[in-house]
Amino acid sequence: MSKKEVIVVEASSLEEAKMIAAQEWGISPSDVIVNLLEEEKKLFGILGKRLKVEARPACSLGLLRAREILSELLEKMDLNVSLSLKDDHTINISGDDVGIAIGRYGETLMALERLVNLMLNRSVGVNFRVRLDSNGYRDRREESIRRIAASAAKKAISKNKPVGLQPMSNWERRIVHMTLQSMDGVETRSVGQEPRRRVLVCPKPTAKVRKEGARRD
């Protein structure tokens, strides 16, 4: 599979040139833009003509290739969804079965994202990452998790005891850790085993408690 985002091919028609380039890149012919460079007629036109055509992907080759991979995965899952591309390397999933593609707390969506990126980097051979989303689901979920984390932190500080959150996926736990890492008075750690692994939000010991503890030691 070619890594070049501009190639020159020879074909008998522009449509054939699109097909050749699409096969070379592993994308859809509709995502190939062609520009005629040269036209050569054979034997006075009796045997047709030969075109030299410059081909390029309609947008980022990595993003288009990722969409093809994701489309194949979703087709195997027999899901009725559609895919659209965004400039920030995001593939948006929508349609009747989008809830299945998202999964419980976004677990299926994130699993698909990891799998697509793994397959993409193996096939293209470059470090290119895409982000999967569904009509802003991830932003809404992340904001909800931040509110949950902040509320747990306040509770842990006020009651001076750890507060356990509900089991979360790896990316959700990471949001909790990042949200509270700069908050004074609390610290976080993940406990338990998958799929029940969760975050504990713990109050940090005060200077007085640390001093008394040191005296007992």
Side-chain angles (χ1 to χ4, degrees):
M1 184 177 298
S2 176
K3 300 177 186 178
K4 296 180 180 179
E5 298 214 2
V6 179
I7 60 175
V8 175
V9 300
E10 291 188 356
S12 59
S13 68
L14 294 180
E15 290 305 314
E16 183 185 0
K18 286 185 177 184
M19 293 289 293
I20 294 172
Q23 186 175 9
E24 181 72 16
W25 288 322
I27 63 176
S28 171
S30 62
D31 291 321
V32 178
I33 298 175
V34 293
N35 177 41
L36 179 61
L37 298 178
E38 185 178 312
E39 179 178 347
E40 178 184 352
K41 293 184 179 180
K42 293 185 176 181
L43 294 178
F44 307 102
I46 297 175
L47 299 179
K49 57 187 177 181
R50 200 68 181 168
L51 308 180
K52 182 175 289 187
V53 179
E54 180 186 75
R56 65 179 67 241
C59 65
S60 167
L61 180 56
L63 189 57
L64 292 173
R65 180 63 185 135
R67 184 177 65 182
E68 291 299 310
I69 293 172
L70 178 59
S71 179
E72 292 174 7
L73 291 173
L74 294 172
E75 185 176 347
K76 290 180 179 179
M77 294 170 67
D78 196 27
L79 299 186
N80 181 22
V81 295
S82 59
L83 306 177
S84 57
L85 306 180
K86 296 184 177 180
D87 293 336
D88 60 351
H89 292 180
T90 295
I91 303 177
N92 187 71
I93 306 173
S94 59
D96 296 338
D97 296 331
V98 69
I100 301 174
I102 293 175
R104 181 176 178 270
Y105 302 130
E107 291 178 349
T108 304
L109 188 70
M110 297 308 297
L112 283 169
E113 180 177 292
R114 288 192 295 272
L115 184 56
V116 167
N117 280 309
L118 178 62
M119 295 174 67
L120 175 66
N121 291 332
R122 283 184 175 178
S123 64
V124 178
V126 295
N127 187 20
F128 185 94
R129 292 192 60 80
V130 296
R131 181 177 184 266
L132 303 189
D133 198 4
S134 178
N135 302 321
Y137 167 82
R138 287 182 63 160
D139 287 342
R140 294 192 301 272
R141 181 61 181 161
E142 288 178 12
E143 182 57 34
S144 175
I145 293 172
R146 291 189 188 98
R147 289 196 299 268
I148 291 171
S151 176
K154 292 178 181 178
K155 187 175 180 180
I157 293 173
S158 65
K159 295 190 174 184
N160 196 34
K161 64 179 183 180
V163 174
L165 302 182
Q166 65 183 6
M168 293 180 175
S169 62
N170 181 57
W171 76 278
E172 291 174 316
R173 295 196 304 272
R174 186 165 57 249
I175 293 170
V176 175
H177 294 312
M178 293 178 63
T179 299
L180 300 182
Q181 66 182 358
S182 59
M183 180 176 288
D184 293 333
V186 295
E187 57 189 11
T188 60
R189 64 176 182 268
S190 293
V191 297
Q193 301 296 322
E194 299 289 0
R196 303 295 298 172
R197 193 162 174 78
R198 61 193 183 120
V199 177
L200 278 183
V201 182
C202 306
K204 288 183 178 179
T206 63
K208 181 179 179 180
V209 171
R210 287 197 299 269
K211 186 176 181 180
E212 290 176 351
R215 286 174 179 173
R216 286 196 296 269
D217 291 342

